[in-house]
Amino acid sequence: MNIYIYDTKQRSKRLFEPIDPDHVTVYVCGPTVYDRVHIGNGLSAVVFDVFVRLLRLVYPKVTYVRNITDIDDKIIDASRANNEPYFELTKRFIDAFHEDIEALHVLDPDVEPRPTLLLDKIISMIQRLLERNYAYEAEGHVLFDVRAYDQYGELSNRSMQDMLDGARVEVAPYKNDPKDFVLWKPSDSTMPGWDSPWGRGRPGWHIECTAMIHEHLGAPIDIHGAGSDLIFPHNENELAQGCCIEDGAEYVNYWMHNGMLNFGGRKMSKSLGNVLTIRNLRDNHASETIRYAMLSGHYRQSLVWDERLLEQSRRSVDTLYRSLRHVSECTDLEEKNSAEILPMPIEDFPESVVNALADDLHTPNAIAAMHGIASEILKTRDVGELKELRQQLLGGGWLLGLLNQSPTQYFEMPQELDPESVEQLIEERNEARSSKDFERADAIREELAERGIEIEDTRNGTRWSTIRR
């Protein structure tokens, strides 16, 4: 089947044509681990998790590499502030990152490289750039010479002046040009450092990703993913390095970038004091609610993140699970979650969901297709049709990383709730409604809601379930 991707570099939606149809290669920029990861990191992980699931459905082999940056000035600053060795700090936050994205049902990448494990590769790439006159030494630093690469700026579509105005470019006296960026920097005795031909030091951020791509995937690769905030300077600098390693070198065939989260008209940033971690979010919301919310907007667009979005997402996830529960109530089929349907050929996955994802990962349309299937489930009691529809819903759920529990698990009552007292209140509410005491009926509904119980009036009576937080 055809998959279309919006390519940031070409600024257009393109048919995906892999370099090798038998082996697709994908690299995605992961987090820098100096603190708990924020939900922007989670958004990128979830978006590309769905995309890789789609690729695995279509192609016989996909190698997915998502890095972790474990040496960086932010890490050094945080370790100093905590009076903690940098490697202990990074291990702690790598573990926390894994815990958070596993909770969001993000599948593991095939390779998860870290720069500190690839110092020899990084140093050899810097030496190569020096030999080819694309880099120079200055005051213990090695810098990439931007003026030596004519195509610099083509990924971000910026002029040279745009690259300086308001950009994260360090202006330093040792640079030949303010836009030149660091490949290697010196470390004093208080900083982590490694021996190199240029003295004890550490790598610059940008060369790390380029080295990890070359080490684990080779070049060129099919797809490079990242958040849109990394287009410039990070991905722009990656591209420059990757294309200057040798004559005629290519680096990436397709660039994909997810948009940013928006908080009340402002993007999330530490300077604005509105950074929300995945851990914070998980304290108050179910993981599938968070994941659904992240997929509710198109990945390239800014997503307005607020409590209303999360509440709508919770109710929507409830609806999908209710349709699965309906199948259980109408048939003797054993309950399943989305992972339990695998392996399954692509022909058995819902065409409407697959086609939506193949069209530049249009998750809102895929979600709408899921609710269309759920609606059909709730309309029928035919066992054969219910079985087929459930398979379709679970197939779409696997692609989106949803429906990871059985309906019974999802609607399981918290231990502190007493089912008998809930049933008694529902009976009192039904009696109040029969006697047209709607004020009392509404009060009981509110009381149940305060206790974490949501009720649903159906033609078969009143159902209740716990409110997923």
Side-chain angles (χ1 to χ4, degrees):
M1 69 173 298
N2 290 335
I3 295 176
Y4 289 86
I5 299 170
Y6 184 89
D7 182 359
T8 304
K9 184 179 176 185
Q10 299 295 330
R11 288 176 283 284
S12 64
K13 190 158 66 174
R14 299 171 56 200
L15 173 67
F16 175 56
E17 299 178 287
I19 299 165
D20 178 0
D22 293 325
H23 185 193
V24 174
T25 51
V26 182
Y27 180 90
V28 172
C29 291
T32 300
V33 283
Y34 61 97
D35 201 346
R36 278 277 186 176
V37 293
H38 57 69
I39 58 174
N41 300 125
L43 174 65
S44 183
V46 166
V47 163
F48 290 105
D49 177 61
V50 174
F51 185 63
V52 170
R53 288 175 189 241
L54 174 68
L55 291 175
R56 293 194 194 282
L57 199 64
V58 176
Y59 295 98
K61 182 179 180 181
V62 177
T63 299
Y64 176 34
V65 178
R66 185 192 64 222
N67 82 296
I68 289 178
T69 298
D70 65 347
I71 185 62
D72 182 87
D73 288 354
K74 292 179 181 178
I75 292 172
I76 294 172
D77 291 343
S79 67
R80 283 173 168 170
N82 293 354
N83 194 26
E84 177 181 17
Y86 86 93
F87 51 87
E88 291 183 7
L89 178 133
T90 56
K91 183 184 184 306
R92 183 157 55 87
F93 287 123
I94 287 171
D95 291 343
F97 170 66
H98 287 156
E99 175 191 331
D100 284 338
I101 61 167
E102 182 179 334
L104 294 180
H105 307 287
V106 173
L107 302 178
D108 292 337
D110 296 293
V111 186
E112 191 176 62
R114 290 177 282 155
T116 59
L117 302 179
L118 286 176
L119 268 299
D120 288 344
K121 180 70 174 183
I122 292 170
I123 289 170
S124 68
M125 291 194 76
I126 295 172
Q127 288 176 311
R128 180 68 174 155
L129 291 169
L130 281 166
E131 291 167 2
R132 292 177 55 78
N133 296 318
Y134 285 104
Y136 60 93
E137 298 180 54
E139 297 183 21
H141 297 74
V142 182
L143 298 111
F144 186 89
D145 185 356
V146 167
R147 289 178 294 183
Y149 179 57
D150 292 340
Q151 286 76 45
Y152 191 76
E154 64 181 3
L155 175 63
S156 56
N157 194 30
R158 296 186 180 210
S159 68
M160 289 297 184
Q161 188 59 45
D162 288 340
M163 292 180 211
L164 288 177
D165 293 342
R168 291 176 293 176
V169 173
E170 179 190 4
V171 178
Y174 51 79
K175 291 185 176 185
N176 292 345
D177 185 290
K179 297 179 295 300
D180 293 347
F181 55 90
V182 172
L183 301 172
W184 189 264
K185 61 179 74 175
S187 294
D188 64 30
S189 60
T190 68
M191 296 177 175
W194 293 264
D195 291 334
S196 80
W198 318 287
R200 184 176 179 276
R202 60 198 190 279
W205 176 32
H206 314 301
I207 193 66
E208 294 172 348
C209 281
T210 306
M212 287 184 279
I213 285 175
H214 275 256
E215 176 71 15
H216 294 290
L217 295 173
I221 63 169
D222 288 303
I223 299 161
H224 191 314
S228 59
D229 59 328
L230 299 186
I231 296 174
F232 184 85
H234 182 54
N235 295 152
E236 188 75 68
N237 293 349
E238 275 191 73
L239 177 59
Q241 296 161 168
C243 290
C244 293
I245 290 295
E246 60 188 30
D247 290 337
E250 296 180 14
Y251 186 53
V252 172
N253 277 10
Y254 298 81
W255 290 88
M256 293 179 69
H257 290 92
N258 63 273
M260 298 290 99
L261 296 175
N262 186 298
F263 294 77
R266 302 184 301 174
K267 73 175 185 177
M268 183 175 63
S269 73
K270 285 206 167 187
S271 62
L272 295 174
N274 62 352
V275 172
L276 180 62
T277 67
I278 298 173
R279 175 69 267 177
N280 294 150
L281 207 55
R282 288 173 53 212
D283 286 340
N284 298 302
H285 301 279
S287 296
E288 287 196 69
T289 295
I290 300 168
R291 183 175 177 113
Y292 187 104
M294 289 176 169
L295 297 175
S296 62
H298 192 274
Y299 80 97
R300 287 193 286 113
Q301 305 302 316
S302 175
L303 178 63
V304 176
W305 192 269
D306 56 23
E307 285 299 316
R308 183 172 63 175
L309 171 66
L310 287 162
E311 177 59 21
Q312 290 171 342
S313 298
R314 180 192 67 78
R315 292 182 180 275
S316 296
V317 175
D318 282 358
T319 298
L320 296 178
Y321 273 104
R322 285 195 184 100
S323 68
L324 291 179
R325 184 172 63 182
H326 176 76
V327 176
S328 302
E329 292 172 345
C330 297
T331 72
D332 60 358
L333 293 172
E334 182 182 353
E335 290 188 343
K336 288 185 177 181
N337 62 44
S338 59
E340 292 175 326
I341 64 168
L342 300 176
M344 190 168 81
I346 187 171
E347 294 80 13
D348 291 345
F349 282 81
E351 185 177 357
S352 55
V353 175
V354 173
N355 287 345
L357 296 179
D359 182 16
D360 193 29
L361 204 66
H362 205 304
T363 54
N365 285 351
I367 285 173
M370 290 282 287
H371 283 282
I373 298 169
S375 180
E376 290 300 312
I377 287 175
L378 294 172
K379 290 177 183 176
T380 184
R381 290 179 175 273
D382 180 87
V383 174
E385 189 176 357
L386 284 171
K387 183 177 181 179
E388 182 178 343
L389 287 169
R390 185 184 74 165
Q391 194 78 347
Q392 294 267 305
L393 189 67
L394 290 173
W398 182 82
L399 279 168
L400 292 166
L402 300 172
L403 303 178
N404 299 286
Q405 306 172 69
S406 69
T408 297
Q409 291 171 327
Y410 183 80
F411 290 114
E412 186 177 11
M413 164 143 341
Q415 291 182 353
E416 64 270 17
L417 288 176
D418 177 13
E420 291 187 9
S421 66
V422 173
E423 293 287 357
Q424 182 177 347
L425 282 170
I426 288 175
E427 182 60 31
E428 289 180 23
R429 177 177 176 272
N430 289 339
E431 291 174 0
R433 293 177 73 205
S434 296
S435 61
K436 300 191 184 305
D437 186 356
F438 298 115
E439 184 176 348
R440 173 59 180 156
D442 289 343
I444 292 173
R445 178 189 283 274
E446 291 176 9
E447 180 182 347
L448 288 167
E450 289 174 0
R451 295 171 62 178
I453 299 296
E454 185 173 53
I455 58 176
E456 177 188 10
D457 295 315
T458 73
R459 61 186 178 184
N460 297 318
T462 302
R463 288 176 174 166
W464 62 273
S465 58
T466 57
I467 298 174
R468 307 297 297 176
R469 293 297 184 191

